[in-house]
Amino acid sequence: MTMLANLAPIPELYVSYDSAQKLKVEAANLKSHDLTPRQICDLELLMNGGFNPLKGFLSEEDYDNVVENMRLADGTLWPIPITLDVSEEFAEGLEIGEDIALRDQEGVILATMTVTDRWTPDKSREAEKVFGADDVAHPAVNYLHHTAGKVYLGGPVVGIQQPIHYDFRARRDTPNELRAFFRKLGWRRIVAFQTRNPLHRAHQELTFRAAREAQANLLIHPVVGMTKPGDVDHFTRVRCYEAVLDKYPAATTTMSLLNLAMRMAGPREAVWHGIIRRNHGCTHFIVGRDHAGPGKNSAGEDFYGPYDAQDLFRQYQDEIGIEMVDFKQMVYVQERAQYEPADEIADRENVTILNISGTELRRRLREGLEIPEWFSFPEVVEELRRRFPPRSKQGFTVFFTGFSGSGKSTIANALMIKLMEMGDRPVTLLDGDIVRKNLSSELGFSKEHRDLNIRRIGYVASEITKNGGIAICAPIAPYAATRRAVREEIEQYGAFVEVHVATSLEECERRDRKGLYKLAREGKIKEFTGISDPYDVPENPELRVDTEGVDVDTCAHQVLLKLESMGLIAGSR
Ligand code: PPS
C-alpha cells in the first residue's frame, strides 16, 4: 500500500547528529545573534518542517511578495512574514554571505544561517498589508513597532538542535512525529483544532461535530508558544486540556502541543494555521468564528469581520492542501440542554440561548462567582480557579504618591498594621526612605535616577503581587509616565491601587517635618520636588486622600474601605 501523501515524512532543516556536533564547534567562532522568544518559536517550526516549504528566514524578495501578495517570490502561497529582526548595530557589522550562529537565551547554538539579505523594512506597510491596519492596538503591530529590531536578515538555516523545552515534553510533537503517529494508528483523515484558550463545553461540541462531519480523527492542537497578551498562560491551559482529555474517546482523539508564536492576524493567520496543520499531517482544519482575532482596534471596532478568516481560507483551501471545516459560533440552547451552531437554530424566537463571553468568565473568576456546568467542566473550572483566585485571595499593590512630608509613610505604616491585624496575606512596606537605604542607595534625585528608583520598587512590588502578597509602596513618584509603567507591570498579576496623598505643598512646607523644605528654599538641596523639581498630580488615582485636618487613622481607614469596595479584602472588621 502506498503511503498517503499527508503522512509521508516531510523535509526538516536539521543536519545529522554527527554533522551537528561538528557544526556546533565551528559555529562557536561565528558572530551570533541571541534569538528572542518569538524567533525561537519561528526557528523551531522552520527547522522541524512546520513551516515547510520555507528553508530559512525570508529573503527581501520573498518578504516583499508575502507582504503584498501572500506569496513567496516563486509564487507559493505563504501569508505571514517569517523574518529575523535584529538591531542596526548587529546588522551593520555583517557581510552578505556571512554565516551567523543563532543562539537561544542561554547561549545554546540552535542553528546557523547564511545571511543572503539585509534590509530595513517599511514596518507601516507591513502592518497595513499583513494585519490590515497600522494600529498598535493590534498586538502584532505593537510588537512590530516596539519590540522587533529595525533591520531584517534573511537566509537559509541549517538546524543543529531543537529548542529545549522542560515542560510537557511528552505532549510536544514535530510534524514528522505526528505523521508517524498517525501512520502507526492507521489514521487517514485527521481534523485539527487550533486553540489558545481552555476547552469548555462549546469547544468540545464543536470538535465532536467537526470530526463527525469530516469523518475524521481529531487532533487537539493547542498553541503553547506565544498567544495574545493577556491570555491564560499555557501551563494552566495544558493542565485544563489534560483534565478534559478523557471526555474524548481515546481511540479517535489525540492532543499535541504546538510551539507556534501566533500573530493574531485573523484571515491571513487562518491560512497560515492551515498550512502548518497540513505540514503536521492533517487533512482537515477547523475554522470558527473570529479565528485568531486580535480584539478591538484603537477606535473600539473589530479589526476583522467575524467570518473573514473563513472566507479567505475557502478561497485558498485547494492551494493550502487541507480542507476547512467551518463553524458558526456555538451557543447553548437551554430548553434542549445542548450546544448548537447559532445559525442552525430555526426556532430561536422560542428558545433561551445562553452564552458566557471571555470577559464575563474572567469577571466571574475574579469575583469568585458561579460558573455553570452547562458552560464548562468542573475540572477545568477548578484549574482556572486555582490559577485565578478571587481578588480577595490575590496579591495586590497599594501605591502611595505625594510630596515629601505629605504623610505617605505614616498612612502606609498604619495601613500595614491594619492589614497585618487581618493576617490573611503577607504584607511588605516599600517606603521611600527604606527603599533608598536598601535598594537604591547609589541613586540621587535626577529624573533618570527617580525613574530607576520607582521601577525598582515596581519590580519588587510586582513580584510580591505575583506571589500573593500585599505590597505597600510610598515613594514620591513624581512622574505620571513612570507610575503608569509600574501600574502596567503590576496589573499583570493583581490589582494596583494608586493613592494620591493630596496634602498641598504649602501644608507640607509648613509642617517641614525633616527640615528639608527650608534647605530646599535656601538652595542647599537641589531638585527638590515641589520647590525646584516637578510633580505630576495623578489624574485618576483609585483614591485621593486629604490629610489636612484628618487624622492618620481615618486616612488609613479610607484606604481599607477602598480595598474592600474593590473586592481585595473580604468582609470588614
Ligand atoms: S522619588 O522621587 O520617588 O524617587 O523619591 P523617594 O525615593 O520617595 O525619596 C523621597 C525622600 O527623599 C528625601 N529627599 C528628597 N525628596 C525629594 N526631592 C529631593 N531632591 C530630595 N532629597 C532628599 C525626602 O525626605 C523624601 O522623603 P519622604 O518620605 O517623601 O518625605
Side-chain angles (χ1 to χ4, degrees):
M1 198 180 90
T2 54
M3 197 186 282
L4 292 170
N6 63 304
L7 300 185
I10 193 170
E12 299 184 347
L13 306 183
Y14 293 111
V15 292
S16 70
Y17 179 79
D18 288 341
S19 310
Q21 297 315 102
K22 247 178 71 202
L23 191 54
K24 205 167 195 168
V25 176
E26 291 165 16
N29 299 315
L30 300 175
K31 283 183 196 144
S32 33
H33 170 64
D34 295 337
L35 297 156
T36 62
R38 183 163 108 176
Q39 290 169 347
I40 292 179
C41 292
D42 286 353
L43 180 66
E44 177 167 352
L45 286 162
L46 279 171
M47 293 195 296
N48 71 18
F51 286 169
N52 188 57
L54 301 192
K55 297 282 178 267
F57 288 97
L58 294 189
S59 68
E60 185 173 3
E61 199 190 1
D62 281 334
Y63 166 80
D64 281 334
N65 273 283
V66 166
V67 169
E68 295 289 336
N69 317 312
M70 267 184 39
R71 294 184 181 282
L72 303 174
D74 70 4
T76 310
L77 183 71
W78 190 270
I80 299 287
I82 305 299
T83 48
L84 189 71
D85 59 284
V86 299
S87 68
E88 282 170 306
E89 296 83 331
F90 181 70
E92 265 163 25
L94 297 175
E95 308 270 344
I96 294 301
E98 185 171 349
D99 286 347
I100 58 172
L102 302 180
R103 297 177 188 258
D104 73 8
Q105 304 206 313
E106 271 81 53
V108 176
I109 302 176
L110 302 177
T112 63
M113 180 177 111
T114 306
V115 180
T116 59
D117 291 68
R118 169 183 51 199
W119 73 103
T120 304
D122 176 349
K123 291 186 174 181
S124 295
R125 176 187 71 147
E126 182 178 334
E128 288 282 351
K129 299 274 175 170
V130 179
F131 305 110
D134 191 12
D135 179 344
V136 292
H138 191 299
V141 175
N142 186 44
Y143 185 96
L144 187 61
H145 286 301
H146 297 135
T147 307
K150 282 211 164 72
V151 181
Y152 288 176
L153 303 178
V157 158
V158 177
I160 295 177
Q161 69 167 73
Q162 299 192 33
I164 302 161
H165 299 290
Y166 296 106
D167 56 337
F168 307 116
R169 278 183 168 159
R171 293 266 183 216
R172 295 175 186 265
D173 303 283
T174 66
N176 278 325
E177 283 166 347
L178 268 187
R179 286 170 176 236
F181 175 80
F182 298 149
R183 286 201 300 272
K184 187 167 177 181
L185 296 191
W187 291 9
R188 305 163 67 90
R189 295 163 68 89
I190 301 107
V191 58
F193 180 60
Q194 135 85 32
T195 183
R196 43 170 264 266
N197 285 311
L199 291 179
H200 302 300
R201 286 190 199 271
H203 304 109
Q204 191 188 39
E205 185 56 33
L206 184 143
T207 51
F208 275 157
R209 279 176 187 250
R212 230 179 294 141
E213 232 171 73
Q215 295 282 300
N217 292 92
L218 176 64
L219 170 69
I220 301 173
H221 210 194
V223 171
V224 294
M226 291 166 76
T227 62
K228 196 174 147 194
D231 278 350
V232 178
D233 64 278
H234 82 271
F235 297 104
T236 306
R237 283 190 289 117
V238 176
R239 288 195 302 269
C240 287
Y241 302 138
E242 292 191 326
V244 295
L245 212 55
D246 64 4
K247 314 230 179 283
Y248 286 88
T252 60
T253 304
T254 192
M255 176 176 80
S256 176
L257 306 178
L258 179 66
N259 197 44
L260 172 69
M262 291 181 69
R263 312 298 207 254
M264 311 311 300
R268 277 197 186 221
E269 180 118 359
V271 171
W272 189 40
H273 287 176
I275 295 172
I276 295 166
R277 273 39 183 241
R278 173 203 70 201
N279 289 339
H280 283 79
C282 303
T283 53
H284 293 73
F285 183 60
I286 302 175
V287 183
R289 185 182 181 280
D290 195 26
H291 189 97
K296 307 265 183 230
N297 65 19
S298 48
E301 291 148 7
D302 288 333
F303 276 93
Y304 316 116
Y307 298 105
D308 286 2
Q310 291 183 356
D311 294 342
L312 195 73
F313 202 107
R314 196 169 293 113
Q315 206 178 318
Y316 289 102
Q317 79 174 0
D318 291 345
E319 254 184 284
I320 302 171
I322 194 168
E323 210 174 299
M324 173 167 70
V325 184
D326 56 338
F327 274 102
K328 292 284 190 295
Q329 192 175 12
M330 299 292 291
V331 291
Y332 187 74
V333 180
Q334 192 173 32
E335 284 76 3
R336 290 192 281 275
Q338 65 181 11
Y339 278 89
E340 295 176 17
D343 62 330
E344 288 177 20
I345 305 172
D347 55 350
R348 55 170 41 250
E349 305 302 318
N350 304 319
V351 293
T352 319
I353 292 173
L354 299 177
N355 195 17
I356 292 182
S357 68
T359 316
E360 173 63 11
L361 176 65
R362 281 191 288 278
R363 187 185 76 89
R364 290 188 184 206
L365 286 170
R366 195 169 59 234
E367 296 180 14
L369 301 174
E370 193 222 340
I371 295 165
E373 283 250 1
W374 62 260
F375 176 75
S376 194
F377 306 97
E379 298 88 337
V380 172
V381 173
E382 193 187 312
E383 241 355 293
L384 291 176
R385 284 205 199 279
R386 219 152 56 96
R387 174 64 183 77
F388 303 102
R391 269 191 154 178
S392 62
K393 296 215 164 64
Q394 283 176 23
F396 64 88
T397 293
V398 182
F399 192 96
F400 290 95
T401 167
F403 290 121
S404 169
S406 58
K408 302 182 300 286
S409 309
T410 324
I411 304 171
N413 255 302
L415 177 68
M416 175 175 73
I417 301 293
K418 285 173 189 285
L419 289 167
M420 285 171 77
E421 182 188 359
M422 295 179 178
D424 54 353
R425 276 164 287 185
V427 192
T428 300
L429 178 59
L430 296 164
D431 187 38
D433 284 335
I434 305 176
V435 168
R436 282 194 172 263
K437 215 172 280 153
N438 295 296
L439 269 183
S440 293
S441 55
E442 86 288 18
L443 299 184
F445 289 89
S446 63
K447 168 154 197 328
E448 198 192 346
H449 277 193
R450 287 181 197 260
D451 282 352
L452 200 53
N453 182 41
I454 299 307
R455 284 184 175 275
R456 287 180 187 170
I457 294 175
Y459 172 72
V460 176
S462 77
E463 285 293 307
I464 291 168
T465 304
K466 180 169 91 186
N467 291 311
I470 301 173
I472 305 176
C473 314
I476 297 178
Y479 298 107
T482 324
R483 294 194 299 257
R484 184 173 353 108
V486 169
R487 174 188 291 276
E488 281 166 12
E489 190 176 353
I490 287 168
E491 283 183 341
Q492 301 175 62
Y493 306 115
F496 179 82
V497 186
E498 186 173 352
V499 181
H500 177 211
V501 182
T503 316
S504 67
L505 187 65
E506 297 70 45
E507 174 66 13
C508 294
E509 192 166 0
R510 196 187 56 73
R511 292 181 194 163
D512 205 3
R513 295 238 310 256
K514 300 180 189 165
L516 296 175
Y517 282 93
K518 183 164 175 292
L519 296 174
R521 287 286 180 203
E522 292 165 5
K524 292 186 182 141
I525 304 180
K526 305 263 177 290
E527 301 177 307
F528 197 84
T529 306
I531 306 293
S532 44
D533 221 46
Y535 179 80
D536 304 340
V537 174
E539 283 177 10
N540 288 308
E542 275 69 14
L543 182 68
R544 213 185 291 281
V545 293
D546 200 340
T547 63
E548 286 161 62
V550 187
D551 64 25
V552 178
D553 201 47
T554 310
C555 294
H557 194 68
Q558 283 173 17
V559 181
L560 269 191
L561 290 175
K562 183 73 203 176
L563 298 179
E564 204 182 305
S565 77
M566 290 174 75
L568 292 166
I569 47 180
S572 60
R573 309 245 142 184

